[in-house]
Amino acid sequence: MSDCLFCGIAAGEIPADVIYRDEDFVAFNDISPTAPTHALVIPIKHYENIVEIAEADAELAGRFISTAAVVAKQEDIHEGFRLVTNTGDEGGQSVHHVHLHVLGGRQLTWPAG
Ligand code: AMP
Ligand code: ZN
């Protein structure tokens, strides 16, 4: 999608602090981190949210989670971490290109707000 921020980052057209890339996924540091490690993992192909990618390509959706685990390991958040994918308006999604937040490096609290 030409007007999508994360498509622009995936294409290298919009600058980001990229920490991982393979043929299907890109990870970069969140511009407004809420934890010492706060990375975002995205599929290069545009899907709006986790439901859309799961329904369209379950194999890719599975590797999406595996890639987030690889990124967490790479970032050395061995004391624990959290994967989050906000979905839709009530879910708090602000960028409508599916992404997994990889959060760690401090004690995270629960329940989420
Ligand atoms: P969400 O609110 O779950 O859709 O998450 C969107 C995330 O994207 C937020 O945590 C933002 O801080 C982050 N974000 C927005 N613009 C950028 C950008 N240009 N580079 C990196 N992260 C961004
Ligand atoms: Zn997109």
Side-chain angles (χ1 to χ4, degrees), residues 98-111:
V98 67
H99 48 282
L100 282 164
H101 295 256
V102 182
L103 296 154
R106 65 169 170 82
Q107 181 62 57
L108 300 170
T109 58
W110 192 259

Side-chain angles (χ1 to χ4, degrees), residues 8-67:
I9 289 175
E13 293 163 355
I14 293 172
D17 186 11
V18 173
I19 58 172
Y20 176 92
R21 177 182 283 278
D22 65 25
E23 64 181 12
D24 292 312
F25 304 101
V26 176
F28 49 94
N29 285 318
D30 197 291
I31 204 166
S32 302
T34 61
T37 296
H38 187 170
L40 301 174
V41 185
I42 63 169
I44 292 171
K45 187 172 176 188
H46 181 94
Y47 295 96
E48 173 146 348
N49 58 42
I50 196 71
V51 176
E52 201 176 279
I53 189 173
E55 289 182 351
D57 191 338
E59 189 268 339
L60 187 71
R63 287 193 293 112
F64 186 28
I65 294 170
S66 300
T67 301

Side-chain angles (χ1 to χ4, degrees), residues 1-10 42-48 95-98:
M1 281 184 44
S2 57
D3 60 346
C4 171
L5 172 64
F6 287 179
C7 281
I9 289 175
I42 63 169
I44 292 171
K45 187 172 176 188
H46 181 94
Y47 295 96
E48 173 146 348
V95 178
H96 294 272
H97 178 133
V98 67

